[in-house]
Amino acid sequence: MSSPTITIRLVGGLGNQMFQYAAALGLAVRREARVTLDLSAFSAYATWPYQLDRLQVPQDISAEQPLRRPAGRSLPARVVRRLTGGGVKANGLYVEPHFHFDEAFFTLTGDEIRLEGYFQSPLYFAGCQDVLRRHFQPIEPFGPAAQEWSQRIAASRCSVSLHVRRGDYVTNPDAAAVHAALGEGYYGRAIAVIRRIFGEDVDFFLFSDEPDFVQQAFADLPRAHVVRTDPERSWEDMFLMAGCHHHIIANSSYSWWGAWLNPSPDKVTIAPGQWFTRSRLATTNVMDLFPEGWIILK
């Protein structure tokens, strides 16, 4: 008798793909099922490529005919999801009904379950963290630039990763309607908290998709180091973040995972309560997104 199959439709950047895979694995572990990956969305999704193949994630690609639904958070995708709603659909399809953790997720049954959504909560993969940490490792060593930065981070007595996400948050109206690029107020308060805890002897390693912007914006921050790595190996920054002692993350799943992948029980992670724009936050519960112990700055 074959084992049940959990198929996850992947979309978005690396951080989103990791959340989606983690949720599928969390359900598969409970159901004693196997996970297969539906990559069909990437044929029409130009913003980000599929990247889980850069990690030690089993590449069990689904050969089933996918359900054709718009990918991402664009207006057409949001309209279709609003019209079709969330929850269990026909043919074993489960569509994430809301942003916060769905208590009904682990009651899903059937030999073939297909998942669609972002699943941005560690509650979806509680109990399989050790397996995820093994799967969420690069398949190859750092390139020369990242290796040099890794050594600099390791040599620091107190290293703090600080992530500034800009890119489509600034240039893409659809993305900007959901996420707002964080301003200096958040980062100033986060830096102050870190210094209050650890003193002035702190090295800040700054990560961003716009390093030139960060170089200028944080020009007055003592002991700040703008990390510049190979843009063709974009996944490396996440693991450089994970190598830091402590973390100041952006409203980005990318640096969320950079902080989560640091296994130290002594780490301090500061995250923004303003994960979305204020209008989106008015109707969205984001508290299931943050692991216990993280410091959330409102």
Side-chain angles (χ1 to χ4, degrees):
M1 181 177 179
S2 61
S3 60
T5 300
I6 312 293
T7 300
I8 178 66
R9 186 172 191 255
L10 297 168
V11 69
L14 177 58
N16 283 333
Q17 294 170 41
M18 291 167 72
F19 269 119
Q20 292 153 8
Y21 174 75
L25 182 66
L27 181 59
V29 167
R30 296 200 182 200
R31 292 289 322 281
E32 298 184 345
R34 70 185 184 103
V35 175
T36 66
L37 310 177
D38 174 2
L39 310 187
S40 61
F42 293 100
S43 63
Y45 188 73
T47 306
W48 303 103
Y50 172 64
Q51 288 189 295
L52 290 185
D53 59 348
R54 309 318 305 160
L55 309 182
Q56 295 182 26
V57 171
Q59 297 297 299
D60 194 350
I61 309 301
S62 173
E64 297 295 322
Q65 182 67 22
L67 179 66
R68 297 297 177 184
R69 295 164 64 89
R73 289 175 172 147
S74 66
L75 180 59
R78 295 200 305 272
V79 168
V80 168
R81 283 197 294 273
R82 182 169 296 177
L83 291 175
T84 57
V88 179
K89 301 297 175 186
N91 302 320
L93 173 66
Y94 169 86
V95 180
E96 182 184 27
H98 42 63
F99 185 80
H100 58 277
F101 175 66
D102 180 16
E103 299 278 355
F105 181 75
F106 289 119
T107 68
L108 295 173
T109 59
D111 290 336
E112 295 185 4
I113 299 172
R114 297 156 66 199
L115 305 175
E116 288 192 14
Y118 287 90
F119 303 105
Q120 292 186 351
S121 171
L123 297 175
Y124 286 113
F125 50 88
C128 62
Q129 295 95 326
D130 291 343
V131 177
L132 275 179
R133 290 186 188 280
R134 292 196 299 271
H135 288 184
F136 289 167
Q137 294 297 323
I139 60 170
E140 60 188 17
F142 283 144
Q147 180 60 39
E148 182 177 337
W149 279 109
S150 178
Q151 293 169 355
R152 292 181 64 177
I153 290 170
S156 171
R157 186 195 67 83
C158 184
S159 56
V160 177
S161 70
L162 185 155
H163 183 222
V164 177
R165 170 70 184 273
R166 288 179 59 79
D168 57 343
Y169 285 14
V170 178
T171 62
N172 185 320
D174 282 333
V178 177
H179 291 283
L182 298 171
E184 61 182 20
Y186 164 70
Y187 289 106
R189 286 181 287 130
I191 290 168
V193 171
I194 289 291
R195 284 179 164 165
R196 193 178 311 134
I197 298 172
F198 300 108
E200 299 294 320
D201 189 19
V202 174
D203 289 305
F204 293 95
F205 291 89
L206 278 51
F207 297 83
S208 180
D209 47 7
E210 293 187 14
D212 290 341
F213 171 87
V214 167
Q215 185 86 51
Q216 182 176 2
F218 292 88
D220 296 331
L221 178 61
R223 302 179 66 142
H225 316 277
V226 178
V227 176
R228 297 175 185 267
T229 54
D230 185 346
E232 298 299 318
R233 300 170 62 87
S234 59
W235 64 91
E236 292 181 325
D237 279 8
M238 180 183 292
F239 296 95
L240 290 173
M241 292 181 198
C244 293
H245 294 111
H246 311 290
H247 312 279
I248 298 172
I249 74 170
N251 51 341
S252 165
S253 59
Y254 189 91
S255 50
W256 190 102
W257 283 107
W260 188 90
L261 286 169
N262 174 359
S264 172
D266 301 320
K267 70 184 177 186
V268 170
T269 300
I270 299 176
Q274 189 179 346
W275 198 259
F276 297 116
T277 58
R278 294 191 182 280
S279 59
R280 177 59 66 93
L281 280 174
T283 58
T284 307
N285 176 2
V286 301
M287 294 316 296
D288 288 343
L289 169 66
F290 305 111
E292 184 177 354
W294 286 20
I295 298 172
I296 314 304
L297 295 186
K298 300 294 186 180

